Amino acid sequence: MKHHISALFLGTALALAAGSAFAQDKTVKIGVLTDNSGLYSDLGGAGSTLAAQMAVEDSGLAAKGWKIDVVSADHQNKPDIGTTVARQWIDVEKVDIFVDVLNSGVALAVNNLVKEKNAIMINTGAATSDLTNTQCSPNTIHWVYDTYMLANSTGQALVKAGGDTWYFLTADYAFGHALERDTSAVVVKSGGKVIGTVRHPLNSSDFSSFLLQAQASKAKIIGMANAGGDTTNTIKQASEFGIVAGGQKLAGLLLFINDVHSLGLKVAQGLNFTETFYWDLNDGTRAFSKRFSERMKNKAMPSMVQAGVYSGLIHYFKTIDAMGGNPHDGVKVVAKMKETPTDDPLFGKGTIRPDGRKLHPAYLFEVKKPSESKGPWDYYKLVGTTPADQAFRPLSESACPLVKK
Amino acid sequence: MQALYAQLLVGLINGSFYALLSLGLAVIFGMLNIINFAHGALYMMGAFCAYFLLNIAGIGYWPALIIAPIVVGIFGMILERTMLQWLAGLDHLYGLLLTFGLALIIQGVFQNYFGSSGLPYAIPSELQGGMNLGFMFLPIYRGWVVVFSLIVCFATWYLIEKTRLGANLRAATENPTLVRAFGINVPRMITLTYGLGVGLAALAGVLSAPINQVRPLMGADLIIVVFAVVVIGGMGSIMGSIITGFALGVIEGLTKYFYPEASNTVVFVLMVLVLLLKPTGLTGRAA
């Protein structure tokens, strides 16, 4: 009898142990796919990996028995390298979720792969609005910003201020084309006119030829549909060729705090552009940014891409924690993330739409004059805020198949 | 038509960087037989050196034009003494691989510490502003770059082709044993030549700092084009690399005007054409 009872206990215990192991797979692998060595590496790169690690630490999931790993790789801004790494990560390393993935060309390629393999991408780096429009996917969330929002905010503000003729200086790949297309639409809709475009190869160092063409066009606004090192060199050389002094205005359609830091306020002062995150916005952003900057090698403040990695992952962790485990079905997790309202200290309260677009306010900033800045990284003045529900492409205009009309 | 003139002038300005850099490469290849892939990284070091001089020691642009090439040149000579000299007489490939590795290490170290977006360096106050030429607004600084590069290129050419020192150098590369018999210290001459080539790269770096951001990858972006220039001009030919440098700058400028998308590839298309028609390059001598 005694023997029977102990066998019963043992059997029950074994069944329970097996059952719990089966029901609660609490392992997650995060892949930070980014530009670690090229012209965008300051916006994402090592800072994005740090942001991901901070999100893991702050989530408190380790204490609840979760095992979370962060891996990082350099896609070198090449879609083929990006997809090769992504494929290997999913197939061999069992990566569940991709973050950062800046560069629109890489992002669109990885977007397809993530959908095919039922993984997840929280894209915080790429700009192309196609990620939530024609190319939208049940596995992808576009977190920080996109070309439609940038065009809508900066473009509209500049046309309203009298800049009704535009000439575009466009980076010749998916991102530049999308930004030019979306901004042109806004300019025309607001009553302005696009009088020309010049497309330059990605990662050019000399922009004087392109700037001379823009100057000759006599357009009131020269729209820079490029990013990173391309934008900083454009701005620097535009000031050298006396473009702003000659009465034309430069519109930085996509500028990051790292670009302003690299240019210095003397050259960058007066530029208007849109971001969705600035370290000095409120107590929440300041507290995070201070912790972030202390751990960065060059003491840099976070860019909106890096802030997005943190914010996106915090929401992801909340969701998988609420699901209790088994986070490997991408579509299921993303659907749950869309159901849950977002709330974090960096982007405030927000929501995720059915097309994968994360909504939060967009801020129009102006770069301070050197005399107005109180110290390192004190660069922006807030000029205007577009509320979350107006900042992004309305669902009524969406071509995303996931949106029911 | 006015815009076209402007593009020609801008092309000439870019050409001066190509000329300065390819000149250094040609000197190093002609005298040492080394394909110096570290040239771009050394160019970048020149720009960073100017930045450090200004921000740490408060030394401005003009002294930097002299100090930076000397400092980087000495660094180059150390490289030559400690590593490159062991490759003398070996196949070109070894030198290429070693210098390519060095370039990656140097760039990696700079990127690790300074990030990728670069650091600001202002145009010296004497050269700020510009003048209206009628067909374009020419920044004074860019005009200065063209004039200064032309002078440096000519001086280097003169030094190597027309002076006794240059004659010794050329003789030393042709027949080192014989030249050594005349009591000339050949290894020292080779080290100094490498230092000169590296110094030229660093000088181009200082010149470019006020125009481009001072970035760790600034040399990597440029080096491939400069190699194409050297190949088109004829490996090791001093005058060939100077003329080709300026000419390619102009051709690239014109491409940016007529078909901007191709501006990064036009140089290589030309390289293929030249190599098909004249494998030794435009002014190269058959080996």
Side-chain angles (χ1 to χ4, degrees), chain B residues 36-110:
Chain B
N36 188 28
F37 241 93
H39 217 64
L42 297 160
Y43 158 81
M44 175 269 288
M45 283 180 74
F48 267 95
C49 197
Y51 175 83
F52 294 140
L53 284 172
L54 184 69
N55 289 285
I56 295 172
I59 296 170
Y61 175 80
W62 300 104
L65 272 183
I66 299 165
I67 299 173
I70 294 177
V71 172
V72 182
I74 291 172
F75 175 76
M77 287 193 264
I78 295 172
L79 286 185
E80 201 276 337
R81 280 275 101 168
T82 52
M83 297 180 211
L84 291 172
Q85 68 154 327
W86 307 111
L87 303 178
L90 293 179
D91 193 277
H92 292 159
L93 261 182
Y94 293 94
L96 187 150
L97 288 174
L98 176 64
T99 50
F100 184 58
L102 281 173
L104 292 182
I105 293 169
I106 296 171
Q107 279 163 8
V109 168
F110 275 81

Side-chain angles (χ1 to χ4, degrees), chain B residues 48-237:
Chain B
F48 267 95
C49 197
Y51 175 83
F52 294 140
L53 284 172
L54 184 69
N55 289 285
I56 295 172
I59 296 170
Y61 175 80
W62 300 104
L65 272 183
I66 299 165
I67 299 173
I70 294 177
V71 172
V72 182
I74 291 172
F75 175 76
M77 287 193 264
I78 295 172
L79 286 185
E80 201 276 337
R81 280 275 101 168
T82 52
M83 297 180 211
L84 291 172
Q85 68 154 327
W86 307 111
L87 303 178
L90 293 179
D91 193 277
H92 292 159
L93 261 182
Y94 293 94
L96 187 150
L97 288 174
L98 176 64
T99 50
F100 184 58
L102 281 173
L104 292 182
I105 293 169
I106 296 171
Q107 279 163 8
V109 168
F110 275 81
Q111 189 154 35
N112 195 23
Y113 284 99
F114 303 102
S116 63
S117 30
L119 304 159
Y121 191 88
I123 295 175
S125 52
E126 298 86 352
L127 297 177
Q128 275 173 6
M131 46 194 160
N132 199 341
L133 300 181
F135 61 91
M136 77 174 286
F137 177 91
L138 176 70
I140 292 175
Y141 186 80
R142 300 230 172 194
W144 150 254
V145 167
V146 177
V147 174
F148 185 68
S149 318
L150 276 172
I151 296 171
V152 173
C153 286
F154 180 76
T156 313
W157 171 82
Y158 189 85
L159 179 75
I160 289 170
E161 299 287 339
K162 299 289 170 197
T163 63
R164 193 178 168 79
L165 180 71
N168 286 344
L169 251 179
R170 281 177 290 132
T173 51
E174 288 286 321
N175 195 337
T177 332
L178 190 68
V179 173
R180 202 171 283 145
F182 283 111
I184 293 172
N185 187 340
V186 175
R188 186 192 293 159
M189 281 193 91
I190 287 186
T191 308
L192 286 174
T193 310
Y194 191 73
L196 172 75
V198 169
L200 283 170
L203 182 68
V206 182
L207 278 179
S208 113
I211 302 182
N212 300 302
Q213 289 288 91
V214 179
R215 289 180 302 132
L217 293 180
M218 62 193 283
D221 303 342
L222 205 60
I223 191 72
I224 304 291
V225 178
V226 175
F227 265 102
V229 171
V230 177
V231 171
I232 295 172
M235 294 290 290
S237 159

Side-chain angles (χ1 to χ4, degrees), chain A residues 237-318:
Chain A
Q237 291 167 13
S239 112
E240 198 192 337
F241 276 86
I243 287 194
V244 179
Q248 286 172 305
K249 199 169 175 156
L250 280 181
L253 295 168
L254 178 52
L255 262 159
F256 297 88
I257 186 136
N258 315 74
D259 300 328
V260 175
H261 181 71
S262 136
L263 280 167
L265 290 184
K266 212 174 151 198
V267 177
Q269 59 180 316
L271 280 168
N272 284 308
F273 54 89
T274 303
E275 291 217 56
T276 51
F277 171 85
Y278 174 49
W279 70 270
D280 202 9
L281 269 181
N282 55 49
D283 289 342
T285 57
R286 274 187 289 269
F288 168 78
S289 305
K290 200 165 160 273
R291 282 199 294 140
F292 177 91
S293 147
E294 275 163 7
R295 289 171 68 170
M296 277 297 275
K297 202 175 294 125
N298 49 7
K299 303 287 166 220
M301 286 295 178
S303 72
M304 61 173 162
V305 173
Q306 294 154 348
V309 168
Y310 179 87
S311 152
L313 280 178
I314 288 288
H315 185 64
Y316 170 75
F317 291 144
K318 268 186 209 163

Side-chain angles (χ1 to χ4, degrees), chain A residues 118-316:
Chain A
N118 196 22
I120 301 173
M121 171 162 72
I122 300 184
N123 193 301
T124 65
T128 177
S129 62
D130 291 348
L131 276 178
T132 53
N133 198 33
T134 48
Q135 309 271 320
C136 75
S137 139
N139 300 73
T140 296
I141 300 176
H142 202 182
W143 204 268
V144 179
Y145 65 103
D146 63 34
T147 50
Y148 184 96
M149 179 278 277
L150 297 169
N152 205 27
S153 170
T154 316
Q156 213 167 36
L158 288 169
V159 177
K160 270 187 194 152
D164 53 1
T165 49
W166 284 61
Y167 189 94
F168 284 102
L169 230 144
T170 305
D172 195 12
Y173 74 106
F175 150 68
H177 297 182
L179 188 50
E180 182 199 312
R181 178 197 64 209
D182 289 350
T183 315
S184 299
V186 170
V187 168
V188 172
K189 207 170 123 193
S190 319
K193 210 174 123 188
V194 177
I195 54 180
T197 298
V198 60
R199 292 192 167 158
H200 67 78
L202 176 68
N203 214 358
S204 296
S205 59
D206 180 66
F207 289 87
S208 42
S209 294
F210 309 125
L211 284 166
L212 284 175
Q213 292 173 51
Q215 198 172 28
S217 76
K218 305 257 193 308
K220 285 184 192 162
I221 305 274
I222 299 173
M224 295 180 289
N226 51 20
D230 283 343
T231 309
T232 47
N233 271 330
T234 311
I235 296 171
K236 195 166 177 181
Q237 291 167 13
S239 112
E240 198 192 337
F241 276 86
I243 287 194
V244 179
Q248 286 172 305
K249 199 169 175 156
L250 280 181
L253 295 168
L254 178 52
L255 262 159
F256 297 88
I257 186 136
N258 315 74
D259 300 328
V260 175
H261 181 71
S262 136
L263 280 167
L265 290 184
K266 212 174 151 198
V267 177
Q269 59 180 316
L271 280 168
N272 284 308
F273 54 89
T274 303
E275 291 217 56
T276 51
F277 171 85
Y278 174 49
W279 70 270
D280 202 9
L281 269 181
N282 55 49
D283 289 342
T285 57
R286 274 187 289 269
F288 168 78
S289 305
K290 200 165 160 273
R291 282 199 294 140
F292 177 91
S293 147
E294 275 163 7
R295 289 171 68 170
M296 277 297 275
K297 202 175 294 125
N298 49 7
K299 303 287 166 220
M301 286 295 178
S303 72
M304 61 173 162
V305 173
Q306 294 154 348
V309 168
Y310 179 87
S311 152
L313 280 178
I314 288 288
H315 185 64
Y316 170 75

